[in-house]
Structure formats: C-alpha cells, structure tokens
Amino acid sequence: MPHFADEARPRLHVLLRMAGDDPEERRLIRQYAESTPDPPLMSADGIATRGCPRCRGTMWRHRDGQGPFWVCSSSVCGRMEM
C-alpha cells in the first residue's frame, strides 16, 4: 500500500493493525486510542513534547506568529505555556 494511503487512515485503524486478531490486544489498543489525543500535525520544527507540570500529561509544542508555545494534550487540564 502506498505510504500516502496508509497515512490517511485514522490513527485507531493503524493501531489496530498492530494488534492482529488478539481480542484483548485490540480492546487495550482501542481503550488507549480513545483516552489519548491525536498528536498535532507535524510542522517544520517537527514534533516536540514535554511533561505538563500541572497534570503530568503530555504537552505538545505549537507555533504561531509570536513563536513557540506549549499546550497540554489533556482536555481536563488544557494548560498553556509560552
């Protein structure tokens, strides 16, 4: 399959392919995919992460016109740092 077609598939589909036919693995992967956010689109800077000091979740680096900033991936926390 061409890489473009594989990259266009939803993240859950790609993760489930790794589980094969094992129902327990598929259940755990589905649970993981539903509880973690998708990473942001990769920018020219690549993907950078660090730990959130508030909730200990993952913070993703983003960039806007003023420069880089960090956003917590947890929908409960949502902390932002410049």
Side-chain angles (χ1 to χ4, degrees), residues 13-77:
H13 176 81
V14 174
L15 291 171
L16 285 173
R17 282 186 24 205
M18 293 188 294
D21 294 329
D22 184 343
E24 180 62 13
E25 283 291 318
R26 294 178 74 80
R27 184 187 69 76
L28 291 172
I29 287 177
R30 189 175 299 279
Q31 181 180 356
Y32 165 78
E34 291 170 357
S35 66
T36 58
D38 288 342
L41 296 175
M42 188 179 306
S43 68
D45 297 332
I47 294 179
T49 62
R50 69 179 193 192
C52 177
R54 182 184 297 161
C55 73
R56 303 202 187 282
T58 301
M59 293 187 89
W60 299 97
R61 182 181 63 198
H62 295 269
R63 181 176 294 276
D64 64 9
Q66 298 176 354
F69 63 97
W70 296 88
V71 179
C72 181
S73 62
S74 169
S75 61
V76 176
C77 177

